[in-house]
Amino acid sequence: MIILNTLEDFKRIYHAGKKWQRCMEAINNRNNIKANVFYSIGDSLVYRLAEGNSENSELFEANRRYFDVHYYLAGQETVEIADKSDLAQEMIYRDETDREHLRGRGEAYRLKAGNVVIFENHQAHRFSHGEGMRKVILKVTVEETYFLNK
């Protein structure tokens, strides 16, 4: 997991490459999107606005074809991170959903408004203790700008 303190840090570090530019396009559109409605930019990025208090997740979630980028607009939330290799598989990976669920323990981090977080695919995450949370969630393909199977 990569935690950046501000959106400006994200822009400065991740300014090159089409997928990062598309991330910024989605984040810049945040005032025009409705909560829990999915939007897309090309075939390499989907995004949505999430609001409210986060529920405590029992299981960790991990991805393979997409990675998550979360930009926190308000509130705070705790995320627990662990390497997939340190967790026990609970539900096998499904290509249709690009998800697998795992069980175990990880290291907790408190995320807050202004943070941009990149969840890497060798790790799994689970959320808890969110208060007044509002964030843009982006699902970005691991390939540069296209799917290899198309």
Side-chain angles (χ1 to χ4, degrees):
M1 175 177 70
I2 300 166
I3 301 174
L4 301 164
N5 290 323
T6 66
L7 185 59
E8 287 69 32
D9 290 343
F10 177 79
K11 287 189 235 184
R12 181 177 40 79
I13 296 168
Y14 297 97
H15 61 276
K18 190 107 175 157
K19 72 175 143 194
W20 302 117
Q21 293 166 2
R22 286 183 172 176
C23 285
M24 280 311 307
E25 183 180 340
I27 289 170
N28 289 336
N29 191 40
R30 66 187 173 270
N31 295 329
N32 300 315
I33 62 177
K34 297 177 184 173
N36 299 315
V37 174
F38 282 87
Y39 299 82
S40 69
I41 299 176
D43 62 357
S44 62
L45 183 144
V46 295
Y47 64 104
R48 68 183 176 93
L49 178 67
E51 296 180 311
N53 297 334
S54 57
E55 298 176 17
N56 293 346
S57 296
E58 182 180 331
L59 299 176
F60 284 83
E61 179 181 307
N63 308 101
R64 295 182 187 178
R65 293 182 59 199
Y66 289 84
F67 59 90
D68 285 3
V69 176
H70 292 208
Y71 173 45
Y72 285 81
L73 302 169
Q76 53 188 348
E77 183 174 49
T78 298
V79 63
E80 194 174 347
I81 297 293
D83 285 345
K84 289 194 257 187
S85 60
D86 294 337
L87 301 172
Q89 190 169 58
E90 184 74 21
M91 295 171 60
I92 64 168
Y93 176 79
R94 294 190 52 176
D95 191 52
E96 300 84 17
T97 61
D98 187 43
R99 288 191 191 125
E100 60 188 313
H101 292 92
L102 306 123
R103 185 176 299 282
R105 293 195 174 268
E107 187 173 350
Y109 297 87
R110 193 72 172 160
L111 304 172
K112 61 184 175 29
N115 289 157
V116 179
V117 183
I118 302 170
F119 295 97
E120 300 173 282
N121 284 6
H122 69 280
Q123 296 177 319
H125 57 275
R126 68 177 166 190
F127 296 99
S128 63
H129 308 293
E131 300 165 2
M133 186 269 308
R134 187 169 189 256
K135 64 183 175 180
V136 178
I137 300 173
L138 304 100
K139 298 243 178 222
V140 183
T141 182
V142 295
E143 292 88 13
E144 183 53 39
T145 56
Y146 63 92
F147 292 119
L148 294 177
N149 64 346
K150 288 191 176 186

